[in-house]
Amino acid sequence: MFRPIAFVLAFVFVGAASAAELQFDGLVDDTGRQLLIGKPAVIQFISGTVVGDVEVVGFIKDPRSDAIRFFQYQDGKRKPRMKATDVYRLLIDGRPYSFRYHRPSGGVHLIDLGKAQADAEARITGSNKTLRDPQTDDEIREAVGDQIVIFNDARKALAPVNLSFAESDFCLLLTDFPQQAAEQVAEQVDVMCQQMNSVFGLPKSANIWQGKMMVAVFSQRELFGKFESDVLDNPNFGTSTTIYHHNRQRFLVATYREKLDASVASTISWSMAAGYIDRYRSDVKLPRWVHSGLQDMLHRVMFPDPKRDAAARNTAATRLRRTGSLLGILQATELDDEREVLAKLLVIHLVEADPKAFSQFFEDLKLGHKWDAALKANYGATPEAFAADFGRRMGVPNLTP
């Protein structure tokens, strides 16, 4: 579960946007919503519960804005009225929809996911990037079958060493450690996947890995090297002890550890965080500060270190007071150690200001939106307002980008 850094944040917003100002992909207006009333629906809630064979009754708006507060449906004789923010996905008359939260107005808006997908594809056309649709259960099983073949081939290539294999909800694991230990590590990977899902507002069961995450843990450096060179065709691993590999077919972390203790999961989690960011929704690359800060923050969600976080915050505050700016980090393509720390604090700032807004900010970036446009859409803030608000919370007034 996400454990916030111990300071409270609250953006100074420019004011609630009107419906005409919203630029969300696939936005359904009031006329479009009215056409959906009376249509058959299937509802998936954030909790994971699915309710089917129901009928849309209405979208109940906030009287002060065009935002939706509640979704009402008919289930037999009952007409439950649910908070729209509790709904993860809707299938209405066979077409997928979702509710998109809008922090500046404090409500949500209905999104036609098919139209949103088309909008996103049009935006990234020509950039040599591709969107990744969530896999069906059949597609996951097929992908997992192909990934198991890779590990079966590895067992043959590394013979006569006896390798253990474990499979969990999100993980396929190969190791020369005992079977019980392998199963424990696979279960820990599941927990970490659920923690990352919670950060991005996804159901715990959501699988973004295109199959499952693959992990190989070896107690002997020679075995680790043979796996890299002979199985993964990577002879140039040098002195590395942990390497992750990803392509369209798999995401795989290989590591060498003398002992299979609690530190193994922490080591794996750093690569997992990078893999989650890369594989979620598309292969569109994030701005450097977002990717770096988010990877570090996700690692700290899974393995909190309050003392290190406090020290990093104090160091960053001292540097910010001296420079009066964000050190150009928002446009930087490479980050030194000081700006790596600052990147994490900026991401934490956005998450703590509003976790739901942050999950949508992240998704917008993965769907090809520019970061400043995504910031305005989800937080109602310009880069200048973002920098100034972050500065106030860090005790550095009048901070500039």
Side-chain angles (χ1 to χ4, degrees):
M1 187 173 181
F2 179 66
R3 304 182 187 185
I5 302 299
F7 56 92
V8 179
L9 305 167
F11 274 107
V12 178
F13 290 106
V14 296
S18 69
E21 294 173 324
L22 296 175
Q23 298 297 318
F24 298 155
D25 293 343
L27 182 65
V28 181
D29 61 16
D30 189 59
T31 301
R33 294 195 296 265
Q34 291 300 315
L35 294 175
L36 298 176
I37 293 175
K39 300 293 186 181
V42 177
I43 310 166
Q44 181 183 7
F45 293 96
I46 292 292
S47 65
T49 301
V50 177
V51 177
D53 195 24
V54 300
E55 186 177 286
V56 177
V57 172
F59 304 91
I60 302 169
K61 297 196 307 184
D62 185 323
R64 298 167 297 176
S65 73
D66 194 48
I68 300 167
R69 288 290 185 184
F70 299 96
F71 171 66
Q72 190 169 22
Y73 62 95
Q74 183 151 4
D75 186 2
K77 294 182 179 180
R78 298 171 56 248
K79 291 186 178 180
R81 189 174 76 163
M82 309 299 295
K83 288 183 179 179
T85 50
D86 290 340
V87 177
Y88 177 61
R89 290 285 187 269
L90 293 162
L91 194 66
I92 302 177
D93 204 20
R95 190 172 179 87
Y97 294 84
S98 69
F99 287 116
R100 177 171 178 135
Y101 171 66
H102 184 233
R103 178 181 169 87
S105 66
V108 301
H109 297 267
L110 186 65
I111 301 297
D112 180 332
L113 292 176
K115 177 63 165 57
Q117 178 85 354
D119 290 345
E121 288 176 346
R123 185 165 46 252
I124 67 173
T125 295
S127 64
N128 200 30
K129 302 297 181 182
T130 56
L131 299 181
R132 298 188 179 110
D133 295 330
Q135 287 183 311
T136 65
D137 289 343
D138 287 343
E139 288 171 336
I140 291 175
R141 280 191 289 270
E142 182 179 357
V144 169
D146 293 340
Q147 292 169 340
I148 289 175
V149 169
I150 295 172
F151 272 168
N152 285 339
D153 290 343
R155 297 172 93 167
K156 295 175 184 176
L158 301 179
V161 176
N162 184 31
L163 297 179
S164 303
F165 173 77
E167 180 175 1
S168 59
D169 290 341
F170 294 102
C171 179
L172 301 175
L173 188 137
L174 189 70
T175 183
D176 61 324
F177 285 101
Q179 182 68 34
Q180 183 178 2
E183 292 173 357
Q184 290 174 346
V185 173
E187 290 172 2
Q188 181 62 43
V189 169
D190 281 1
V191 171
M192 293 189 290
C193 287
Q194 292 170 355
Q195 289 175 310
M196 289 190 289
N197 282 344
S198 69
V199 171
F200 297 114
L202 301 181
K204 286 186 176 181
S205 60
N207 183 343
I208 60 90
W209 297 103
Q210 286 82 51
K212 293 188 178 183
M213 179 179 166
M214 302 175 70
V215 179
V217 184
F218 301 104
S219 66
Q220 304 170 40
R221 180 159 183 83
E222 295 77 12
L223 199 58
F224 168 75
K226 189 173 176 61
F227 179 78
E228 284 291 325
S229 60
D230 294 5
V231 177
L232 299 181
D233 193 25
N234 176 37
N236 301 315
F237 54 88
T239 60
S240 300
T241 57
T242 301
I243 302 174
Y244 71 85
H245 307 263
H246 66 97
N247 55 34
R248 293 182 185 276
Q249 286 72 44
R250 67 171 186 259
F251 178 81
L252 188 155
V253 178
T255 187
Y256 154 60
R257 309 291 294 183
E258 292 184 354
K259 296 180 180 180
L260 199 59
D261 55 20
S263 67
V264 173
S266 178
T267 298
I268 293 171
S269 73
W270 182 256
S271 297
M272 282 181 66
Y276 196 104
I277 294 166
D278 287 340
R279 297 189 83 78
Y280 183 82
R281 290 296 278 129
S282 77
D283 56 359
V284 172
K285 300 300 182 184
L286 302 184
R288 189 74 190 99
W289 69 272
V290 179
H291 190 289
S292 180
L294 184 52
Q295 183 178 2
D296 201 341
M297 189 212 71
L298 288 173
H299 177 68
R300 292 302 165 199
V301 166
M302 294 180 276
F303 294 90
D305 188 342
K307 289 184 178 180
R308 176 180 167 177
D309 288 336
R313 200 162 55 247
N314 291 336
T315 299
T318 299
R319 177 73 184 274
L320 293 173
R321 290 190 192 97
R322 188 164 66 247
T323 62
S325 77
L326 292 178
L327 314 175
I329 192 173
L330 301 180
Q331 288 77 38
T333 56
E334 297 294 335
L335 303 180
D336 57 18
D337 290 345
E338 283 189 318
R339 291 198 290 185
E340 290 277 2
V341 171
L342 183 56
K344 180 182 72 171
L345 294 174
L346 286 169
V347 169
I348 289 173
H349 180 86
L350 291 173
V351 173
E352 291 190 346
D354 194 315
K356 290 179 182 176
F358 178 77
S359 68
Q360 291 176 173
F361 171 77
F362 171 63
E363 178 143 345
D364 281 349
L365 296 183
K366 293 293 287 184
L367 296 180
H369 287 284
K370 301 298 185 183
W371 76 265
D372 52 348
L375 184 73
K376 185 67 177 292
N378 291 291
Y379 289 92
T382 62
E384 290 74 20
F386 172 41
D389 191 70
F390 177 71
R392 282 190 292 273
R393 303 309 165 188
M394 292 290 288
V396 185
N398 304 316
L399 194 68
T400 66

